[in-house]
């Protein structure tokens, strides 16, 4: 049974310098590489992106003034196939963040055994500051500036934080207009009417729920006796929470940027509107208790799912995390230091590169549908996603079981990294 922390509001603790995504990604890579017999030169190569494009994006605002934004696209590794990964619109986007997130995409695609490499990009902007028209013009200009980098056989963007199917539709249209032919496969996560896949929006949350279910089962817990807290009620968190609720888990707390709602008897997750669906509705739900986002992370629950932003479980709050398992819905929610502390306490952390990989997996299905000009039913998408997630879970679980000194993250890295390294070895270094 979950209990609330004594004080809902705690004074902000002064936090150490936040760890950059690329620093975390490099330390994770080194740690995992130590478990594999691989050429150090290949590991060294994999610590760096193949290319990063930085572009300036002048945007004519609705009032006629011009604001220049900065955009990035980091391409990490493409040995297994075209670069793949999202575009985020967020004020904290930086080159380092894109590189770290691109590295995670390489491992994520390899863990899922998808024929893709890793990339990530974004624009340094708060999308809430833009009107819909401004967001469209910015996206079209971004597509134009990245035109030489992206393409259905080279690099395929997708939605991420601050972007959505509509954004992908504009991107696809801008690219297609310039190329002179309709090219749905240049991005995934589009609306189904222009070649998007059914089930793509729910896919990351669905995979988080599937992997949570499997991990709960692995530890011989019963899902119907399991309490869950979900930070972030956007597309990942909301879909994960609703599915776990449907499968019998007790979702005691969810949150959005405005705060968390808490009911020890379980929330009706279908009654809680997601932040994207209607801002403010998480706090508008009639829950017995409200908490801060930080306090949600400290609830005494069985499973904590951080599904909002990166770097939320850190060295400074990890001592207060009381969950018995963490399943990462967001990309990079746990810092390297916090991860090691949780490991020493025996708290399993099921990593992002496995848990939220349903998004890119259905992106792969979408890409296949676009190439073949033939759409799949929602039932087929969900069924094939389930199959792919269970296959990846089995690969990671058997690696985890083979050794006493691998964390779940190490095991996922070992599976993905081995595939990437094998491909590098088979292809050789050119020239
Ligand atoms: N942005 C998502 C992720 O972080 C999906 C990427 C994709 O579908 O290419 O996994």
């Amino acid at each position: 049974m979950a209990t609330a922390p004594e004080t809902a509001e705690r004074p902000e603790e002064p936090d150490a310098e936040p760890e950059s995504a690329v620093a975390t990604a490099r330390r994770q890579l080194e740690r995992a590489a130590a478990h594999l017999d691989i050429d150090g030169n290949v590991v060294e190569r994999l610590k760096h992106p193949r290319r990063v494009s930085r572009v300036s994006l002048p945007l004519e605002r609705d009032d006629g003034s011009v604001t220049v934004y900065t955009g990035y696209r980091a391409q990490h590794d493409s040995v297994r196939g075209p670069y793949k990964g999202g575009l985020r619109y967020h004020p904290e986007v930086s080159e380092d963040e894109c590189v770290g997130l691109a590295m995670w995409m390489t491992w994520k695609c390899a863990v899922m055994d998808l024929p893709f490499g890793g990339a990530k990009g974004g624009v340094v902007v708060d999308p809430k500051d833009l009107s819909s028209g401004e967001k469209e013009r910015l996206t079209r200009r971004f597509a134009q500036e990245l035109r030489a980098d992206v393409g259905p056989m080279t690099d395929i963007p997708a939605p991420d934080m601050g972007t959505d199917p509509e954004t992908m539709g504009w991107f696809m249209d801008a690219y297609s207009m310039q190329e002179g032919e309709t090219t749905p496969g240049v991005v995934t996560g589009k609306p189904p009417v222009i070649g998007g896949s059914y089930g793509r929006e729910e896919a990351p949350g669905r995979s988080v729920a599937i992997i949570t279910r499997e991990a709960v089962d692995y530890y011989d817990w019963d899902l119907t006796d399991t309490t869950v807290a979900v930070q972030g009620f956007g597309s990942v968190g909301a879909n994960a929470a609703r599915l776990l609720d449907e499968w019998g888990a007790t979702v005691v707390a969810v949150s959005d940027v405005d705060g968390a709602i808490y009911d020890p008897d379980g929330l009706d997750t279908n009654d809680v509107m997601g932040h994207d669906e209607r801002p403010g509705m998480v706090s508008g739900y009639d829950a017995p208790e409200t908490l801060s986002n930080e306090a949600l992370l400290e609830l005494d629950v069985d499973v904590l799912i951080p599904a909002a932003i990166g770097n939320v479980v850190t060295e400074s709050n990890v001592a207060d995390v009381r969950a018995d398992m963490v399943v990462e819905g967001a990309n990079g929610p746990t810092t390297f230091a916090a991860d090691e502390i949780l490991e020493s306490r025996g708290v399993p952390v099921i990593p992002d590169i496995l848990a939220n990989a349903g998004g890119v997996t259905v992106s792969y299905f979408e890409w296949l549908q676009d190439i073949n000009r033939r759409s799949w039913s929602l039932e087929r998408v969900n069924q094939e996603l389930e199959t792919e997630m269970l296959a990846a879970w089995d690969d990671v679980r058997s690696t985890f079981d083979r050794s006493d000194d691998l964390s779940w993250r190490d095991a996922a890295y070992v599976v993905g990294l081995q595939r990437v390294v094998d491909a590098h070895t088979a292809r050789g270094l050119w020239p």
Side-chain angles (χ1 to χ4, degrees), residues 84-86 105 108 120 156 158-160 188 200 331 356 359-360 363:
K84 187 85 193 79
M105 286 310 302
K108 195 184 289 188
K120 189 75 86 173
I156 307 140
D160 201 271
T188 57
R200 171 62 185 81
N331 289 317
N356 72 25
V360 73
S363 278

Side-chain angles (χ1 to χ4, degrees), residues 9 14 39 153 160 185 193 245 253 268 376 378 414:
E9 296 295 337
D39 182 350
M153 296 301 153
D160 201 271
V193 71
D245 185 9
D268 178 356
W376 299 5
L378 178 62
V414 164

Side-chain angles (χ1 to χ4, degrees), residues 368-409:
L368 293 177
Q369 294 170 67
D370 290 339
I371 290 171
N372 290 306
R373 296 290 200 269
R374 191 180 174 98
S375 110
W376 299 5
S377 68
L378 178 62
E379 292 68 32
R380 175 169 175 196
V381 169
N382 284 343
Q383 194 190 345
E384 297 219 15
L385 175 61
E386 173 90 18
T387 306
E388 298 296 331
M389 292 314 304
L390 292 184
W393 167 258
D394 271 353
D395 291 340
V396 173
R397 186 196 36 73
S398 59
T399 305
F400 179 80
D401 280 342
R402 267 204 306 275
S403 161
D404 283 344
D405 61 348
L406 288 184
S407 67
W408 282 99
R409 190 183 314 279

Side-chain angles (χ1 to χ4, degrees), residues 86-101:
L87 292 176
R88 61 173 56 176
Y89 289 178
H90 193 271
E92 269 150 45
V93 165
S94 67
E95 178 170 337
D96 271 2
E97 186 189 62
C98 290
V99 172
L101 289 159

Side-chain angles (χ1 to χ4, degrees), residues 9 86-87 128 141 160 194 204 218 268 270-271 275 295 359 386:
E9 296 295 337
L87 292 176
K128 288 196 286 299
R141 183 63 183 245
D160 201 271
I194 49 167
Y218 178 86
D268 178 356
N270 280 316
D271 227 34
H275 192 75
E386 173 90 18

